[in-house]
Amino acid sequence: MKRVTMTDINAYLDGALDERERAEFESVVESDPDAKALLAQHRQHVEELHRLYDPVLSEEVPSRMLELLRKRNG
């Protein structure tokens, strides 16, 4: 049986697996309580990071920062 790696978990949570890979991953996770717990833990971390930092995406870029970028890029 394949062991679930952090690379697998990240790809799964990012939606980067194709249908076959996703099905295989889910099958392995369902049969491995440790992998299932690890996936749940990392899913919770990702959700918490989104809750904390997604609001920043809708903030305006400070004018001082825009000025610096314009100067740098000529």
Side-chain angles (χ1 to χ4, degrees):
M1 175 188 293
K2 180 182 188 248
R3 285 194 51 129
V4 171
T5 67
M6 286 309 303
T7 300
D8 298 328
I9 289 173
N10 289 328
Y12 180 79
L13 292 175
D14 288 343
L17 301 178
D18 64 30
E19 287 182 39
R20 182 192 57 77
E21 293 167 328
R22 184 177 186 85
E24 181 182 339
F25 176 86
E26 290 172 348
S27 174
V28 170
V29 167
E30 281 302 312
S31 65
D32 182 346
D34 292 334
K36 193 173 196 174
L38 188 60
L39 174 61
Q41 180 183 23
H42 283 277
R43 179 179 276 133
Q44 183 178 359
H45 289 166
V46 168
E47 289 170 358
E48 184 66 10
L49 288 168
H50 279 290
R51 186 186 72 72
L52 290 170
Y53 295 109
D54 279 1
V56 174
L57 296 174
S58 61
E59 291 180 4
E60 279 192 47
V61 177
S63 59
R64 177 74 178 128
M65 185 181 288
L66 289 173
E67 288 174 34
L68 290 171
L69 288 170
R70 286 184 188 115
K71 286 179 184 177
R72 180 178 175 185
N73 293 326

